[in-house]
């Protein structure tokens, strides 16, 4: 099954550059290094240390997966304090045989913590900043909730794993992606999007990774 | 050597930022799921952005006893603004605890409404579909509600996401390296959130892994 997936992803990666829709921005001039990237399939199929899962397993379907018998830390769940972007950048860009998922966290690339400490008790989120108007009540007990059939509702947004839609789906297909669900993800309806965006990113970045002493996971010419 | 590595990593970070922004075509660089999908929620792409329906992040944590799910939406927002409650929205957290992992086994639905009979009155939250809870969970926002071993909170909070989204935008606009690990675009900003804490034995199914995702639906169609 995994071979089928890898084959589909590899094929789509080669074709999808021409598949962008009408609202796609003008193509950026290929930077140095473009010709070096052959395929990002090795990135998608590499095992992420500590998870026993491939990158594809982690991002498709677009859900947060939790093994309750293992420690609660991203990508096994997602805690408020987890630096999810730096971790994700590592496992989609770097060779996990040479670098760990915490490579960028240890630098760090991005701010490593929230600007306010999280509470230690439920609901854990930090209190709002400033003095915004609040809307709660200690006395209200009856509220008017809309009781309408499901047929009256239309999807607006969906999310699971952080940043999958903004980072790896072209704007032209974001509405379609958000209207879909894990079933479509697992059927690889959006495989071309994932591989296209990831390959474009690798093409731009491969020289930067190497200059920084890091080994990209993409297959290079 | 340390400086060299740091500078290299800044260059790398900037390089990461540039293509993401260029390829997205969005002026405010999105992060986790803020302002996505842009054609419905980003003011640069939509003249009537649906901020209250714009989900930002989903968090799922667990310990020996409980599973906690948190969804943030309608942000980031300036600290002077109120929460983004909207009575015409449904928010669903889907939980799958058996194969296939792509179908919902436990749908937990959140909804907001104002106090009965009070014009512009205080907001309440209703939660439906919680395993082990008899009926709905109903109570005021910005209070912790407890029923049948489950805790619920909905309200305005600090935006918990941290990331230099501004660096993405500036680097794209100027071509100058401006991605910094000491600049949190989401710092000093708020967001609306709901959270629910459930005994884990109400979700777990043997040793099966659990899958979580969330979505928003608007009554009457997108605005």
């Amino acid at each position: 099954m995994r071979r089928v997936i890898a084959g589909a992803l590899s094929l789509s990666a080669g074709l999808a550059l021409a598949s962008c829709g009408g609202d796609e921005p003008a193509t950026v001039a290929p930077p140095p290094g473009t010709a070096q990237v052959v395929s990002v399939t090795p990135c998608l199929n590499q095992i992420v240390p500590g998870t026993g899962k491939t990158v594809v397993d982690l991002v498709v379907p677009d859900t947060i997966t939790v093994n309750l018998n293992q420690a609660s830390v991203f990508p096994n769940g997602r805690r408020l304090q987890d630096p999810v972007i730096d971790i994700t950048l590592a496992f989609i860009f770097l060779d996990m045989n040479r670098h760990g998922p915490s490579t960028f966290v240890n630098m760090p690339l991005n701010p490593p913590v929230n600007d306010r400490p999280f509470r230690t008790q439920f609901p854990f989120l930090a209190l709002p900043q400033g003095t915004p108007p609040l809307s709660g009540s200690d006395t209200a007990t009856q509220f008017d909730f809309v009781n309408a059939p499901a047929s009256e509702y239309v999807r607006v947004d969906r999310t699971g794993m952080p940043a999958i839609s903004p980072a790896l789906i072209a704007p032209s297909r974001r509405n379609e992606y958000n209207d879909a669900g894990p079933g479509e993800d697992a059927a690889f309806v959006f495989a071309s999007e994932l591989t296209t965006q990831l390959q474009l990113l690798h093409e731009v970045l491969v020289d930067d990774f190497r200059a920084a002493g890091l080994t990209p996971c993409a297959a290079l010419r | 050597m340390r400086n060299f590595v740091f500078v290299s990593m800044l260059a790398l970070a900037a390089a990461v930022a540039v293509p993401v922004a260029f390829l997205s075509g969005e002026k405010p660089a999105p992060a986790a799921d803020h302002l996505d999908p842009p054609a419905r929620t980003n003011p640069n792409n939509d003249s009537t952005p649906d901020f209250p329906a714009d989900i930002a992040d989903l968090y799922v944590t667990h310990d020996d006893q409980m599973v906690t799910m948190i969804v943030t939406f309608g942000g980031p927002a300036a600290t002077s603004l109120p929460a983004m409650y909207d009575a015409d929205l449904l928010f669903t957290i889907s939980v799958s605890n058996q194969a296939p992992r792509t179908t919902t086994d436990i749908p937990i639905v959140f909804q907001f409404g104002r106090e009965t009979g009070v014009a512009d009155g205080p907001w309440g939250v209703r939660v439906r579909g919680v395993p082990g809870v008899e009926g709905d969970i109903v109570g005021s926002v910005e209070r912790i509600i407890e029923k049948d071993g489950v805790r619920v909170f909905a309200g305005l909070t600090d935006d918990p996401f941290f990331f230099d989204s501004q660096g993405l935008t500036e680097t794209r606009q100027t071509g100058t390296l401006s991605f910094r690990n000491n600049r949190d675009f989401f710092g000093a900003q708020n967001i609306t959130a709901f959270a629910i804490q459930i005994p884990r034995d109400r979700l777990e199914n043997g040793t099966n892994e659990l899958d979580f995702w969330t979505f928003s639906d608007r009554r009457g169609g997108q605005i």
Side-chain angles (χ1 to χ4, degrees):
Chain A
M1 180 62 178
R2 184 160 294 159
R3 280 196 299 273
V4 173
I5 294 170
L9 290 173
S10 180
L11 175 63
S12 61
L15 298 174
L17 281 172
S19 68
C20 299
D23 67 341
E24 196 73 3
T27 303
V28 180
T34 298
Q36 297 176 350
V37 178
V38 176
S39 171
V40 295
T41 298
C43 303
L44 296 166
N45 285 337
Q46 66 178 342
I47 299 287
V48 178
T51 70
K53 296 181 178 182
T54 66
V55 171
V56 167
D57 291 335
L58 291 176
V59 302
V60 179
D62 187 356
T63 66
I64 290 181
T65 305
V66 177
N67 182 336
L68 292 174
N69 297 311
Q70 294 182 0
S72 178
V73 59
F74 183 78
N76 186 47
R78 179 186 178 187
R79 302 175 302 170
L80 292 168
Q81 67 266 41
D82 288 332
V84 294
I85 299 299
D86 280 1
I87 293 171
T88 303
L89 289 174
F91 67 63
I92 66 174
F93 284 126
L94 302 182
D95 182 347
M96 289 289 101
N97 289 317
R98 294 174 178 269
H99 309 288
S102 296
T103 300
F104 293 142
V105 175
N106 294 336
M107 296 297 172
L109 281 186
N110 279 286
V113 296
N114 192 39
D115 62 324
R116 289 291 177 94
F118 298 117
R119 285 178 277 184
T120 58
Q121 303 292 323
F122 182 84
F124 304 108
L125 295 147
L127 291 169
Q129 303 200 40
T131 53
L134 299 179
S135 314
S137 168
D138 288 326
T139 58
T141 58
Q142 300 292 320
F143 303 91
D144 291 329
F145 297 106
V146 173
N147 292 302
S151 60
E152 292 188 11
Y153 287 85
V154 175
R155 174 75 59 84
V156 179
D157 193 4
R158 70 142 166 157
T159 197
M161 282 282 279
I164 298 302
S165 175
L168 296 178
I169 302 296
S172 59
R173 297 194 69 187
R174 297 271 186 82
N175 283 354
E176 179 189 356
Y177 186 82
N178 280 274
D179 288 342
E184 287 83 358
D185 300 341
F188 288 94
V189 169
F190 304 100
S192 66
E193 292 301 320
L194 296 171
T195 52
T196 296
Q197 300 302 323
L198 191 56
Q199 176 137 353
L200 288 170
L201 292 169
H202 273 269
E203 287 170 349
V204 173
L205 296 172
V206 62
D207 281 0
D208 300 283
F209 290 133
R210 296 168 105 174
L214 300 170
T215 304
C217 51
L220 305 179
R221 203 178 305 279
Chain B
M1 182 62 179
R2 173 171 295 209
N3 282 344
F4 171 77
V5 171
F6 183 67
V7 170
S8 297
M9 295 314 298
L10 281 179
L12 172 60
V16 170
V18 172
V20 169
F22 277 149
L23 293 171
S24 72
E26 297 156 8
K27 292 172 185 174
D33 202 68
H34 304 72
L35 304 179
D36 187 88
R40 296 174 184 164
T41 63
N42 189 327
N44 289 307
N45 302 79
D46 180 6
S47 60
T48 57
D50 196 343
F51 291 128
D54 180 22
I55 297 171
D57 284 284
L58 168 66
Y59 301 85
V60 182
T61 64
H62 69 276
D63 59 24
D64 291 343
Q65 302 295 323
M66 309 293 282
V67 174
T68 302
M69 295 159 269
I70 299 172
V71 174
T72 58
F73 62 97
T79 59
S80 60
L81 296 176
M84 294 263 184
Y85 309 118
D86 189 319
D88 286 324
L89 290 173
L90 296 179
F91 291 92
T92 303
I93 298 177
S94 284
V95 184
S96 176
N97 67 0
Q98 60 185 337
R101 54 183 292 211
T102 55
T103 57
T104 302
D105 298 306
I106 304 169
I108 303 172
V109 181
F110 293 76
Q111 192 173 6
F112 298 100
R114 287 191 184 273
E115 183 179 15
T116 302
V118 180
D120 298 327
W123 286 93
V125 60
R126 178 172 74 181
V127 189
R128 299 188 137 172
V130 183
V133 174
E134 186 173 344
D136 301 332
I137 299 174
V138 175
S140 171
V141 301
E142 291 153 8
R143 305 290 187 274
I144 293 176
I145 310 163
E146 298 193 47
K147 183 177 181 181
D148 296 337
V150 173
R151 288 177 172 172
V152 167
F153 168 85
L156 194 66
T157 71
D158 164 73
D159 189 334
F161 190 62
F162 44 96
F163 178 62
D164 184 17
S165 183
Q166 184 179 341
L168 267 73
T169 301
E170 291 182 359
T171 302
R172 178 182 65 85
Q173 292 172 336
T174 66
T176 301
L177 305 182
S178 47
F179 200 93
R180 293 165 22 190
N181 61 20
N182 61 355
R183 180 171 57 189
D184 179 5
F185 177 80
F186 301 89
Q189 298 201 75
N190 292 330
I191 201 162
T192 313
F194 57 81
I196 184 167
Q197 190 173 54
I198 303 176
R200 58 186 269 176
D201 61 7
R202 299 188 194 175
L203 301 180
E204 62 189 350
N205 181 9
T207 58
N208 290 353
E209 289 187 331
L210 308 181
D211 282 273
F212 299 83
W213 64 99
T214 185
F215 52 90
S216 60
D217 295 289
R218 175 170 288 284
R219 185 168 67 114
Q222 294 140 8
I223 60 176

